[in-house]
Amino acid sequence: MSKKKSKNKPGAAGTEIKPADAATIVEDAFGNYLIRAGRLNGDFIARAFPATGSRSQGLIAEASGTSEADAIEALKENLRARSANRTEARRWDERSDTSIPGKEEFIEALRQMKLTDAQLAMLRAHAVAGDDGMTLAALTRASGYKSEDTAMKALKRAGSLVGDFLGLDPRSDAANDPRDAREVLGYLVEADTETASVWVMHTELRNAVRSSI
């Protein structure tokens, strides 16, 4: 039988589901997740996993129903509710002028993002720095890059990836604007020049980095 994967964000409805193969395993793409459903010990079970290609492939959530389609819809409702609860629980940070996801949200994003070794090195060093934060020069040394401009672009890219996954939008994408995608990761303590300014990682992300990468 044919397989159809439909790309839906949480909250979407009316998804057409088709069996993935003759073993009656049903697959459906939903937001950041791949849902697989089938019959297990007489029950219809739907399970959500990270999308194909993610760093982690562990189980995210599951639900049961009277059929594969019913179990999938129940699981989608659970994922929608979880997303709404997480969004409501985010705190507002005046320094970065954005809502900050909780530790578990950041952990899920970090485990699924395909970050480079340099980006991971910067995040680890930044988390260790704690409330003292790091200058762009220090972050560059942690990344292994020789160019501060290259390191800054890599950090912005990491912020964009995490922000896209969590549904956060940076205030600016301007090349020379310090208020950019890095604010998904932390906040800026400004000095006379950007080189001397210090970036401090959000506490929630700091704890997530220590737990996941």
Side-chain angles (χ1 to χ4, degrees), residues 25-58:
I25 299 298
V26 178
E27 289 189 354
D28 187 25
F30 185 70
N32 294 315
Y33 312 108
L34 173 65
I35 295 177
R36 293 191 177 101
R39 197 159 191 168
L40 181 65
N41 297 326
D43 298 320
F44 291 101
I45 304 294
R47 291 172 172 168
F49 300 90
T52 302
S54 298
R55 292 177 61 240
S56 171
Q57 292 297 311

Side-chain angles (χ1 to χ4, degrees), residues 114-124 154-155 157-158 161:
K114 287 189 172 181
L115 300 174
T116 66
D117 290 342
Q119 288 168 330
L120 292 171
M122 281 192 285
L123 291 178
R124 293 188 188 105
L155 195 61
R157 178 59 178 161
L161 289 171

Side-chain angles (χ1 to χ4, degrees), residues 10 79-92 99-102 105 166-168:
L79 292 171
R80 291 186 190 106
R82 188 184 72 151
S83 177
N85 291 336
R86 283 179 166 183
T87 299
E88 185 176 355
R90 292 175 180 176
R91 70 175 176 86
W92 183 260
S99 58
I100 309 302
E105 280 193 274
L166 297 175
L168 300 171

Side-chain angles (χ1 to χ4, degrees), residues 54-123:
S54 298
R55 292 177 61 240
S56 171
Q57 292 297 311
L59 177 66
I60 299 295
E62 70 176 33
S64 60
T66 57
S67 66
E68 289 95 340
D70 186 52
I72 288 173
E73 188 54 39
L75 179 54
K76 288 182 179 180
E77 286 299 325
N78 290 346
L79 292 171
R80 291 186 190 106
R82 188 184 72 151
S83 177
N85 291 336
R86 283 179 166 183
T87 299
E88 185 176 355
R90 292 175 180 176
R91 70 175 176 86
W92 183 260
D93 184 74
E94 296 289 346
R95 296 161 298 192
S96 56
D97 196 26
T98 189
S99 58
I100 309 302
K103 173 185 174 182
E104 294 305 316
E105 280 193 274
F106 274 127
I107 286 176
E108 189 172 307
L110 291 171
R111 286 178 175 171
Q112 296 192 51
M113 297 297 92
K114 287 189 172 181
L115 300 174
T116 66
D117 290 342
Q119 288 168 330
L120 292 171
M122 281 192 285
L123 291 178

